[in-house]
Amino acid sequence: MPGGAGVRRPDHPTTTRPTTVNGGLSGPESPDLPVAPVASEAPEARSTPEAGRPGGGGPDHAVPGPSTAPALPADGVTAQAVLAPYLQGQAAEFLRSLRLHREHSAPSDPGGQGAEAAARALRRSARRISGSLHTFRTVLDPVWADHLRTELAWLSGTLAREHAYAERLTRLLDALCRLSGAALPAARGTKPATKPGTPPATTAAARTAGAPEAQGRAVLGVGAARAGALLERQLTLARTRAHSAALQALGSSRFHAVADAVALLASDVPLAPGTTGRGAEALLEPAERAEQRLLAAVVALPADESAEPYNEAQDAAWHQARLLLRLHRYAHEVVLGAADPVLTGAGHALDLHRDAAEAAAAAAAAARTPRIAPATAYALGVLHADQRHEVEAARAVFRETWPYATAVTTP
């Protein structure tokens, strides 16, 4: 990858191919291969919009300090001895979550909190199994890995939709409440008319200049309630349909086949011919490729100078970077035994970016509803603009927290 040698911190352990040093392993080297898209689902933990606003970090936070990571696999350890326990552990977690989901889905469970937590755990383990099957496909039986990965992506995506719609509605209603009682968001690149700390203007000219803003707030207050009711109707309907689809999926023969395949995975991991007995370095090559694909995707992100806040087409590159970061995290868990802590902030920012982009799209879709009142359309337009500002804020946080600063600024 161009510039690859300049983006990795020398003090940061990665999943790169090792050379033997004092009985351990270390050292980078990797080709770059294309990656197939992975199904997008709700993140493991959502965050408040305030956490994604810029200003939380600065130059001193651009490159976090060294982190402590588990030692790389020792010499003599086989790829099967590293990969199989991970996949079997995730399969056991999948089956445990499935049992809890069935127990808490009974009518006696008040509020369904237990079922929701079990569904999150079910999606979490399904994502990790699916991501590992994708990254380490060359080590596994390819036909079996491709089939199970596809089925787990279907299941995870189906179960995630209900939760995503609920989170989106909460986010939009909270934003509407905040906006209806505050000044409208300023256009990108504009500056306030007065400096902070300047007393309110009292001249007739100043009052005339502030009249459009006051009028806009009044119109927003009128339309916010109707916009909220419209969003609630649309997203609640979508959530209800997603809930029905999830229940149907969990009762289908397709799901039972997936559960049976995961149950078999918990006891046996099919490997590719000739893989048995290979050393753990066989896992480092695909883990390296996952890391290099992530670094290349970050380098290819649109620069700040070319960013257009209302150009949704630019979101795709950021969504792809989020999926590649997730694959890298899972590969890091397999090879090194734990998630990479320095990428926590960057992953959190990309989750916020995805949430804000999808919320903005929902507001825009609601604004296209036929025969809505002008005040309602205005409130939805302001809400869309606010969420697009949140998209920009999440991108700024990502650039501040991304540990390989050179990759972010490379043209």
Side-chain angles (χ1 to χ4, degrees):
M1 184 190 72
V7 298
R8 183 178 293 114
R9 293 205 322 277
D11 60 345
H12 174 57
T14 65
T15 56
T16 51
R17 182 181 306 160
T19 53
T20 303
V21 179
N22 297 330
L25 301 173
S26 63
E29 177 183 356
S30 167
D32 186 22
L33 296 180
V35 60
V38 180
S40 175
E41 335 83 0
E44 295 170 18
R46 301 269 180 169
S47 304
T48 58
E50 288 75 10
R53 295 186 182 276
D60 295 337
H61 302 284
V63 181
S67 60
T68 303
L72 290 167
D75 289 339
V77 176
T78 64
Q80 182 178 8
V82 175
L83 181 59
Y86 179 84
L87 289 175
Q88 289 169 345
Q90 295 301 326
E93 180 62 27
F94 179 96
L95 298 173
R96 187 180 306 112
S97 302
L98 178 59
R99 176 177 57 81
L100 291 175
H101 186 272
R102 287 171 175 168
E103 291 177 357
H104 291 291
S105 296
S108 58
D109 182 34
Q113 297 297 325
E116 184 177 344
R120 284 197 301 269
L122 192 67
R123 296 198 311 269
R124 186 184 308 117
S125 55
R127 287 197 304 267
R128 278 167 167 75
I129 296 172
S130 178
S132 299
L133 294 180
H134 173 84
T135 299
F136 301 105
R137 180 180 181 274
T138 56
V139 182
L140 302 164
D141 181 341
V143 176
W144 167 83
D146 290 345
H147 176 72
L148 182 56
R149 178 171 63 89
T150 301
E151 296 301 286
L152 288 172
W154 159 76
L155 176 62
S156 180
T158 301
L159 296 180
R161 290 191 189 100
E162 178 185 1
H163 177 73
Y165 284 128
E167 289 285 321
R168 198 169 304 153
L169 177 60
T170 300
R171 180 188 186 94
L172 289 171
L173 293 182
D174 288 346
L176 267 178
C177 181
R178 168 172 50 83
L179 290 169
S180 61
L184 301 181
R188 186 173 187 263
T190 61
K191 297 181 180 180
T194 58
K195 297 180 179 180
T198 302
T202 57
T203 65
R207 287 196 301 270
T208 302
E213 182 179 353
Q215 183 179 5
R217 286 199 299 270
V219 174
L220 178 60
V222 172
R226 294 179 180 179
L230 176 60
L231 287 168
E232 189 162 7
R233 284 196 305 271
Q234 292 183 344
L235 292 177
T236 300
L237 177 60
R239 180 186 181 185
T240 301
R241 289 174 175 171
H243 179 72
S244 299
L247 291 179
Q248 185 178 2
L250 291 174
S252 66
S253 59
R254 183 179 183 181
F255 169 74
H256 288 293
V258 174
D260 290 343
V262 175
L264 291 175
L265 175 62
S267 58
D268 179 49
V269 178
L271 300 176
T275 302
T276 304
R278 290 185 61 186
E281 63 274 4
L283 300 177
L284 296 172
E285 273 189 52
E288 253 178 34
R289 289 195 292 269
E291 181 184 48
Q292 292 298 320
R293 285 192 295 265
L294 169 62
L295 297 176
V298 173
V299 170
L301 289 175
D304 289 336
E305 295 76 12
S306 63
E308 300 178 14
Y310 299 104
N311 185 359
E312 283 80 2
Q314 293 185 344
D315 294 344
W318 292 85
H319 296 332
Q320 179 70 358
R322 174 180 171 273
L323 296 177
L324 292 172
L325 176 58
R326 173 171 286 176
L327 287 176
H328 169 66
R329 284 175 48 216
Y330 298 160
H332 199 282
E333 289 179 5
V334 172
V335 176
L336 298 181
D340 191 350
V342 304
L343 293 177
T344 300
H348 178 71
L350 291 178
D351 286 342
L352 289 173
H353 177 276
R354 190 274 312 271
D355 294 346
E358 291 182 346
R368 291 190 291 269
T369 303
R371 297 183 298 278
I372 60 174
T376 306
Y378 176 76
L380 290 169
V382 172
L383 181 60
H384 174 266
D386 175 74
Q387 293 304 302
R388 293 308 303 181
H389 279 277
E390 293 291 341
V391 168
E392 286 191 281
R395 292 176 181 178
V397 172
F398 173 80
R399 295 186 189 280
E400 291 172 1
T401 56
W402 178 248
Y404 310 118
T406 305
V408 178
T409 58
T410 300

